Amino acid sequence: MKKEFAVIGLGRFGGSICRELSREGMEVIALDIDEQKVIEYRDIAAHAVMADSTDENVLRELGLRNIDHVIVAIGDNIQASMLTTLILKELGIKIVTVKAQNDYHEKILNRIGADHVIHPERDMGKRIAHNIISNNILDYIELSDDHSVVEVKAGRKMKGQTLIDLDIRANYGCNVVAMKRNKDVIVSPQANEKIEETDILIVIGSDKDISRFEKNLVADD
């Protein structure tokens, strides 16, 4: 069965999520209070509806309680974002992901039951900063305020060495949890696994430790 999603708020962030989910073949209901935005997404989402998400009766009538996952991507109206989140959780939505404007907004969203809170601008800033460090850094995912996962190309510095040789855990406090080699994924690789230049390593650790790891083993010469 296809998962059903609803995206509330069709600005740049919400709109991009709506487009991507639809492109992946998901069933998406797109909601916004702005008629022009709704018209824009009529040919993209399965359903595009002009609606005030702070009106509980409207959300009930739209049948949102049957949706698997709702993304609240309301722009600058923090009050509308919080009220919408609260109503969605009271309707029994299993997963509610909300875009936060700032740390204070995030704190309140967590208290009222948001399942996931994201800071698109902050998170993208971190990702870009780490990508700037080296062409070998492919992705950077924040797990918490202090811990992250980084996906890196092994490159010349690690080529031909084993995980024992590099001793990443002892030297940098990070753990290599998996390696991608061509189309294969090696989960929990053996310590004597020899690294190839084109391998991709998935490394988890504290931001401080990952930073040292990047500077010493990942950054380009």
Side-chain angles (χ1 to χ4, degrees):
M1 268 179 66
K2 273 187 191 176
K3 275 193 173 182
E4 289 188 310
F5 294 85
V7 178
I8 299 175
L10 299 173
R12 187 164 31 174
F13 174 67
S16 67
I17 289 179
C18 182
R19 286 177 188 275
E20 196 58 35
L21 288 171
S22 299
R23 193 177 291 129
E24 291 294 322
M26 300 296 120
E27 191 86 5
V28 184
I29 298 175
L31 284 83
D32 201 287
I33 203 164
D34 184 330
E35 186 180 9
Q36 284 304 119
K37 287 178 180 174
V38 172
I39 291 169
E40 185 184 340
Y41 283 86
R42 276 187 184 152
D43 295 330
I44 297 166
H47 308 283
V49 183
M50 189 175 84
D52 179 0
S53 63
T54 64
D55 187 328
E56 183 174 348
N57 292 327
V58 168
L59 297 187
R60 282 184 186 278
E61 287 169 14
L62 288 171
L64 252 60
R65 71 175 83 184
N66 302 315
I67 298 292
D68 298 296
H69 191 154
V70 179
I71 298 97
V72 181
I74 294 170
D76 296 329
N77 192 334
I78 289 177
Q79 186 175 333
S81 163
M82 293 189 297
L83 187 52
T84 299
T85 303
L86 194 57
I87 292 169
L88 290 169
K89 292 313 293 183
E90 287 179 348
L91 286 175
I93 304 295
K94 290 176 189 172
I95 305 173
V96 179
T97 296
V98 193
K99 172 188 174 184
Q101 300 297 325
N102 51 49
D103 291 341
Y104 175 71
H105 187 197
E106 177 180 16
K107 195 176 288 185
I108 295 174
L109 289 169
N110 284 324
R111 284 185 182 172
I112 62 178
D115 298 285
H116 305 290
V117 180
I118 47 181
H119 292 256
E121 292 83 3
R122 182 191 69 186
D123 296 344
M124 185 55 71
K126 280 195 173 186
R127 193 168 287 188
I128 289 168
H130 283 264
N131 288 348
I132 287 169
I133 292 170
S134 169
N135 291 328
N136 286 0
I137 295 173
L138 303 176
D139 207 352
Y140 182 91
I141 302 163
E142 186 180 13
L143 297 177
S144 70
D145 288 342
D146 304 312
H147 289 78
S148 303
V149 175
V150 65
E151 191 173 279
V152 301
K153 283 193 287 188
R156 292 191 304 275
K157 289 185 180 178
M158 294 185 241
K159 179 186 176 183
Q161 300 195 66
T162 65
L163 294 176
I164 290 178
D165 295 332
L166 295 171
D167 208 355
I168 293 169
R169 186 172 185 177
N171 291 327
Y172 305 105
C174 304
N175 285 309
V176 177
V177 294
M179 291 170 62
K180 293 180 186 176
R181 180 170 293 158
N182 300 319
K183 292 183 179 180
D184 296 325
V185 177
I186 306 165
V187 179
S188 299
Q190 297 294 312
N192 59 0
E193 185 75 49
K194 206 165 250 190
I195 297 170
E196 298 175 11
E197 188 171 349
T198 54
D199 285 348
I200 295 168
L201 275 57
I202 291 93
V203 180
I204 188 169
S206 71
D207 292 343
K208 182 177 67 177
D209 291 336
I210 284 176
S211 180
R212 287 192 300 120
F213 166 73
E214 288 174 357
K215 286 172 185 171
N216 287 280
L217 284 181
V218 182
D220 303 325
D221 293 323

